[in-house]
Amino acid sequence: MILQEKCCNAANYGGKREETRFIVIHYTSNQGDTAKNNADYFAREEVGASAHFFVDETEIWSSVPEDCVAWHCGAKTYRHPDCRNANSIGVEICMNDGQGNVRQGSIDRAAQLVRLLMDKYHIAKENVLRHYDVTGKHCPGPMVDDPALWAAFQQSLTQTEDDSVRYKYYDDMPDWAKPTVSKLVKKGYLKGEGGGVLDLTEDILKVFVVNDRAGLYGG
C-alpha cells in the first residue's frame, strides 16, 4: 500500500502519543473532495484540528505523524469512556461524491488502511470506532445515518486481501445478491469506482443481503 505524505501545519496537532489503542473513523463531509486536497489544506492553514490520514478512492495521504497526537476527536463531553486524541489514530474518508452520494471505493480503501493499522498496533475490531461513538458528533454522517454501511465496514475489517471472493462487476455477482446490489445502486448508496466497477467481496455481499432482508434499505 502506497502512502503519500504531506505534513500537517504544526499548529494543528500535538506532541508525541504514548499509546495507540483505538482507530477513529471520520468523514470530510465535503462533496467530491480528494485526500490530497485535504492534506494540502491542513498543511497550509491553521485550523486547530487534524487527522493522521485522508483517504479517497485512489490515494491515501498521511498528514500527522503516526506517533503524534492529532486533534480529531476532542470534546467537552464523551460517549466513550476511554477513547481520546492521545490514544487514537484518526482516519478521514472522502466519503461523498459531487452529488453527496457515498463513494464506496473510498470506504474500501480506508478499510485496507485500517486493517494495516490494526495489524501494526494490535488493535481489535471492537476498538475501531466512529467519531459518533466517541463524542456523539454526527460523523461519519453516512455511517451514522445508515448503520448497515457501518456494519459492512466493520465486517470488512476481518478480511485479508486474499481470503474472500471478489466481484468486480454486477454481472459477475451471484444471483442471490443481484437484487440487493441493484437496489443499493439505484438508491445511490453504492457508487463503486466508476465505469461499472463495484469490486465487492462475497462477505460484504452477504452483509448487504441480510440487511436488505431485514428491511434496512427500504422497499
Side-chain angles (χ1 to χ4, degrees):
M1 178 179 292
I2 298 174
L3 301 180
Q4 310 283 352
E5 183 176 351
K6 189 162 190 177
C7 194
C8 189
N9 188 313
N12 295 331
Y13 67 96
K16 297 293 184 180
R17 190 175 62 252
E18 294 183 1
E19 59 178 351
T20 305
R21 296 172 51 201
F22 301 93
I23 300 169
V24 182
I25 306 301
H26 307 260
Y27 83 133
T28 60
S29 79
N30 300 314
Q31 294 188 0
D33 60 343
T34 69
K36 185 179 187 302
N37 290 157
N38 284 279
D40 289 343
Y41 174 80
F42 281 90
R44 182 178 67 246
E45 305 292 336
E46 294 186 13
V47 295
S50 54
H52 292 92
F53 297 98
F54 294 96
V55 185
D56 62 26
E57 300 97 329
T58 60
E59 293 186 319
I60 299 172
W61 281 78
S62 169
S63 181
V64 172
E66 287 182 40
D67 61 346
C68 289
V69 177
W71 298 334
H72 64 100
C73 66
K76 292 182 179 178
T77 60
Y78 290 88
R79 296 183 65 179
H80 196 280
D82 300 313
C83 182
R84 301 293 185 267
N85 284 330
N87 60 15
S88 64
I89 288 178
V91 176
E92 288 267 6
I93 307 175
C94 301
M95 200 175 290
N96 294 337
D97 68 11
Q99 290 71 49
N101 298 312
V102 169
R103 297 153 69 177
Q104 187 63 42
S106 296
I107 294 173
D108 292 343
R109 187 167 293 277
Q112 294 176 0
L113 171 64
V114 171
R115 287 196 295 267
L116 183 70
L117 294 170
M118 289 169 66
D119 234 19
K120 182 175 181 178
Y121 294 103
H122 309 291
I123 295 174
K125 185 177 77 170
E126 293 72 26
N127 282 4
V128 179
L129 307 168
R130 298 169 296 183
H131 192 178
Y132 172 79
D133 301 316
V134 180
T135 70
K137 183 175 180 178
H138 189 259
C139 174
M143 289 178 170
V144 176
D145 294 335
D146 183 3
L149 189 62
W150 176 241
F153 181 82
Q154 290 179 303
Q155 177 69 27
S156 73
L157 299 181
T158 63
Q159 300 296 325
T160 67
E161 294 304 312
D162 300 320
D163 69 357
S164 182
V165 177
R166 303 189 76 88
Y167 298 96
K168 192 170 183 178
Y169 297 101
Y170 175 82
D171 289 343
D172 299 331
M173 294 179 186
D175 289 340
W176 53 263
K178 285 182 177 179
T180 295
V181 172
S182 178
K183 178 189 291 187
L184 293 175
V185 170
K186 288 177 180 177
K187 287 179 174 286
Y189 298 158
L190 189 59
K191 298 293 288 183
E193 300 176 8
V197 176
L198 294 171
D199 194 24
L200 301 173
T201 68
E202 185 167 298
D203 287 335
I204 288 178
L205 288 179
K206 289 177 182 177
V207 172
F208 285 162
V209 170
V210 169
N211 289 337
D212 191 21
R213 291 173 180 171
L216 296 182
Y217 304 135

